[in-house]
Amino acid sequence: MDTSRRTFLSISAGGALGLALPKGLVPWHDLVPRAPLRVLVLGGTGFIGPHMVRTLLDKGHVVTIFNRGRTNTQLFPTVEKLRGDRDGDLESLKGHTWDVVIDNSATNP
């Protein structure tokens, strides 16, 4: 195979760039600085809720959990927890505001 000087330099530069990059790819949205969001998670202590809350906390967001207080109440001792029920007991939500609300319920679409 006859490799030109231009091809050799192009391949060498690509290889050097590959060695200079950090291990693993970083999603572009992780490179954009942004202010922490205030997030209300409905539920948050069962099924996929704990994974969502941990991810939000790891990314620096301020999380509030709204649930009935029946499941895994010991999780997230530093997170604000509001007790209530989406089916009528919404009193604890009054006076609060959030940037985002996450409802991951699969039982009551």
Side-chain angles (χ1 to χ4, degrees), residues 19-86:
L19 291 174
L21 292 175
K23 292 186 179 184
L25 296 176
V26 177
W28 68 269
H29 51 79
D30 285 348
L31 300 175
V32 179
R34 60 182 174 255
L37 296 172
R38 294 167 311 180
V39 182
L40 174 65
V41 177
L42 304 186
T45 58
F47 192 48
I48 63 172
H51 304 289
M52 296 176 95
V53 171
R54 275 190 208 100
T55 299
L56 290 165
L57 292 172
D58 288 347
K59 295 207 178 263
H61 299 296
V62 179
V63 178
T64 302
I65 297 173
F66 174 72
N67 62 30
R68 293 172 292 201
R70 296 181 186 167
T71 306
N72 297 321
T73 57
Q74 77 286 356
L75 291 177
F76 312 114
T78 61
V79 169
E80 179 182 23
K81 296 176 183 129
L82 302 176
R83 284 185 125 185
D85 191 320
R86 73 170 73 229

